[in-house]
Each structure stands twice: as structure tokens, then as C-alpha cells.
DNA sequence: CGCATTTGACCGGCGC
DNA sequence: GCGCCGGTCAAATGCG
């Protein structure tokens, strides 16, 4: 019994879409895991800070910002992820056997160093943007400890030039797909119009609540957030799955102590 | 030969 | 002051 070619095409299309969704799902799961780890470390750091009552800058994955409470006019500690306002973190799925720290993001990078860090057995590679001589953007690429199928790229700074479209394809290539970004975006790869990755701003930055953020950056960030949220909200199954995953992730860790 | 990559040395920040 | 650690430098090396 022959299957009509139109149906066959449709099935292939659905299969391709399913595969893409599975990759995105894997990236999201990884992101949740990383978030959970950071949350756990934050909780521990917060617990320590609460006990000591001494506001200090924590080294490592967390830090605390000192802000003034508008109601009580007292200084309060606001925990946030390590990522600075002008940095972003991107996960890229790659072959775990591939030891080249190549993340095709539309820019040309020049490697200037490699280091093995304490908390991750995989070496971290340091790159500078080489598309423009004065471009200040730097990138750190390290295989993710939670899932070695993913490279974790951390971008710092803002490009002062345009992306080269001939380099910019990329993120849907067989060796690099399903990227998920966390934290401060309107810079670096997130400016690349060619990418179709999921970008979720999960930066818990307190810059806005403290009133010291850049308005343009804030507006760009908000419009991007709105766009992403609207796109994702159209898919009810995704929303349900994400909500369930977040709920599961949060309940797996103890709540920070309340004072 | 020119450019990119590798890799050990060096530097600065931080905690003790 | 000392040691640890992440980040950067720069000479050596490789490659087209």
C-alpha cells in the first residue's frame, strides 16, 4: 500500500520538528540543572550570610548586591547570579568527543588561552573577537560538567561591529544545535538575527530594582523577553512541560532559611 | 612567511 | 605574607 508523497513529506517534517524540539528540550533540562545547582549554592551562601550578618562579596558562583529598601530605607542583600549585566551564557550541544571549543555564533574568535579550572575537569578556553581589531568582546568556552554533550560559552562585553552573515549560520549545524541562553542579553550572539535558538533571560540581576541599570539595555531586554515569552506561550505543551520541570527542580532543593 | 593555536609563565585578587 | 585560583601574556609551534 503506497503512502501519498504529501503525507510522507508531512511526516518527515513533523519528525524533523520533533527532533528539533527534543534538542531544545535537552538544552532546557540542562539549563534547569545548572540553575538548580546555582540556586543550591545561592541558598548555602545566603544561609551563611544570614548567620554571619556581615555583607560580603562572595567568590564563586554567587554574589550579593547591597541595595536600599525603599520602604524601610535599610540596606538589604539581594542575591544574584554571577553573570554581569553585559555578559551572557549560552549552551551549545556538541559531540562530547569533539575537544575543539568551537561555538559557531556568527563571529570570528581568536583563542588566547586555555586553563583547567578547579570545579570542572574539562579545560576552559579563552577567546577574543577577531572580527574587529578594537572589539572588546571576550568568550569563555568550557564543556558543561552536568552534561558533557553541551558546551557552555560565556560572553563578556558588547560587539562594536556587525556580524558577518557568511559565518553566522551555524547554530543549526549537526555539531552545534539547541542552544539555550541564560542571562543578560542584548549583546553578543543574541544580536545575531540568524540564530533560532531559545533565549530565556534568567538573570536575577537586581540592577533594575536598584535603579542603576541602563535604560536602553533594559528596554531592549524587556522587548526581547516579551517576544520570547509570547513565542513560548503559544505552545501550551511547552508551557506545561516547563512549568512542571521548574516546579520539580525547585522542590528538589530545600528553601533558603527565612529570618 | 604570516597567521592561528598551544602552553607554560606570569599577574592580580582574594581568603586565611 | 603566603598560597590558591582565574585570567592573560607571549614565546614556541603548527599549518596553509
Amino acid at each position: 500500500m503506497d503512502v501519498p508523497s504529501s503525507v510522507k513529506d508531512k511526516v518527515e517534517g513533523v519528525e524533523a520538528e520533533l527532533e528539533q524540539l527534543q534538542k531544545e528540550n535537552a538544552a532546557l533540562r540542562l539549563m534547569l540543572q545548572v540553575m538548580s545547582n546555582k540556586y543550591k549554592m545561592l541558598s548555602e551562601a545566603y544561609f551563611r550570610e544570614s548567620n554571619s550578618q556581615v555583607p560580603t562579596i562572595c567568590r564563586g558562583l554567587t554574589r550579593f548586591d547591597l541595595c536600599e529598601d525603599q520602604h524601610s530605607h535599610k540596606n538589604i542583600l539581594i542575591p544574584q547570579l554571577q553573570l554581569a549585566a553585559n555578559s551572557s551564557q549560552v549552551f551549545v550541544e556538541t559531540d562530547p568527543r569533539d575537544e575543539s571549543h568551537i561555538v559557531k555564533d556568527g563571529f570570528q574568535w581568536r583563542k588566547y588561552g586555555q586553563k583547567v579550572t578547579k570545579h570542572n575537569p574539562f579545560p576552559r578556553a579563552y577567546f577574543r573577537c577577531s572580527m574587529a581589531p578594537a572589539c572588546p568582546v571576550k568568550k569563555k568556552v568550557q564543556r558543561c560538567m552536568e552534561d558533557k554533550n553541551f558546551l557552555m560559552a560565556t560572553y563578556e562585553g558588547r560587539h562594536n561591529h556587525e556580524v558577518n552573515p557568511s559565518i553566522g549560520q551555524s547554530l543549526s549545524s549537526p555539531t552545534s544545535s539547541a542552544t539555550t541562553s541564560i542571562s543578560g542579553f542584548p549583546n553578543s550572539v543574541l544580536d545575531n538575527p540568524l540564530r533560532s535558538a531559545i533565549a530565556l533571560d534568567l538573570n536575577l540581576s537586581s540592577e533594575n530594582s536598584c535603579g542603576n541599570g541602563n535604560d536602553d539595555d533594559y528596554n531592549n531586554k524587556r522587548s526581547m523577553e516579551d517576544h520570547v515569552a509570547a513565542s513560548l506561550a503559544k505552545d501550551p505543551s511547552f508551557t506545561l512541560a516547563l512549568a512542571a520541570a521548574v516546579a520539580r527542580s525547585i522542590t528538589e532543593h530545600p528553601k533558603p532559611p527565612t529570618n
Side-chain angles (χ1 to χ4, degrees):
Chain A
M1 198 166 94
D2 291 340
V3 179
S5 60
S6 62
V7 174
K8 203 173 177 181
D9 289 346
K10 201 171 181 179
V11 168
E12 287 175 356
V14 170
E15 284 176 347
E17 192 178 346
L18 179 63
E19 188 179 350
Q20 184 63 28
L21 286 172
Q22 283 173 340
K23 286 178 180 176
E24 290 175 357
N25 189 36
L28 282 167
R29 283 178 188 279
L30 173 65
M31 186 177 68
L32 275 170
Q33 196 172 351
V34 172
M35 281 179 64
S36 298
N37 289 342
K38 288 183 176 178
Y39 174 78
K40 193 176 177 182
M41 295 179 76
L42 261 173
S43 301
E44 291 167 357
Y46 180 71
F47 182 69
R48 283 196 299 272
E49 291 297 324
S50 300
N51 284 342
S52 65
Q53 296 294 320
V54 178
T56 57
I57 303 298
C58 297
R59 217 177 161 184
L61 286 173
T62 62
R63 77 163 190 241
F64 292 83
D65 278 1
L66 200 57
C67 295
E68 189 180 31
D69 187 319
Q70 291 184 347
H71 300 292
S72 64
H73 296 286
K74 291 177 181 175
N75 286 333
I76 57 175
L77 287 172
I78 296 182
Q80 65 173 200
L81 296 181
Q82 176 194 28
L83 301 169
N86 65 341
S87 71
S88 62
Q89 203 169 48
V90 173
F91 291 91
V92 179
E93 186 180 7
T94 64
D95 187 337
R97 292 163 298 182
D98 182 11
E99 294 182 3
S100 65
H101 293 79
I102 296 174
V103 177
K104 295 176 182 177
D105 47 26
F107 297 95
Q108 277 183 317
W109 300 94
R110 179 189 174 91
K111 189 176 181 180
Y112 67 90
Q114 181 167 313
K115 197 87 173 172
V116 176
T117 56
K118 190 183 178 184
H119 299 292
N120 190 331
F122 301 105
R124 174 184 294 170
Y126 298 88
F127 296 89
R128 255 193 282 264
C129 180
S130 61
M131 286 181 72
C135 183
V137 178
K138 291 174 188 174
K139 174 173 83 168
K140 290 179 282 192
V141 179
Q142 189 169 30
R143 195 159 289 284
C144 191
M145 208 165 44
E146 285 84 359
D147 188 339
K148 58 189 177 192
N149 289 314
F150 286 85
L151 285 177
M152 185 168 57
T154 305
Y155 297 83
E156 290 175 16
R158 183 184 289 271
H159 292 281
N160 56 9
H161 55 85
E162 296 299 317
V163 60
N164 182 355
S166 65
I167 310 169
Q169 44 233 334
S170 67
L171 289 168
S172 60
S173 71
T175 54
S176 64
S177 60
T179 67
T180 300
S181 157
I182 65 176
S183 169
F185 51 102
N187 56 336
S188 67
V189 295
L190 298 179
D191 287 337
N192 182 357
L194 297 171
R195 76 193 292 266
S196 59
I198 301 169
L200 293 176
D201 178 23
L202 297 172
N203 187 2
L204 301 178
S205 169
S206 60
E207 62 178 350
N208 299 324
S209 60
C210 294
N212 58 355
N214 178 289
D215 286 348
D216 288 342
D217 283 350
Y218 177 63
N219 290 335
N220 288 340
K221 200 171 175 178
R222 287 302 302 267
S223 63
M224 179 73 89
E225 280 180 299
D226 292 344
H227 176 73
V228 171
S231 301
L232 292 177
K234 288 175 184 173
D235 186 346
S237 60
F238 173 83
T239 307
L240 282 174
L242 182 61
V246 169
R248 196 168 54 243
S249 172
I250 290 173
T251 56
E252 280 174 2
H253 298 293
K255 291 182 179 178
T258 54
N259 293 329

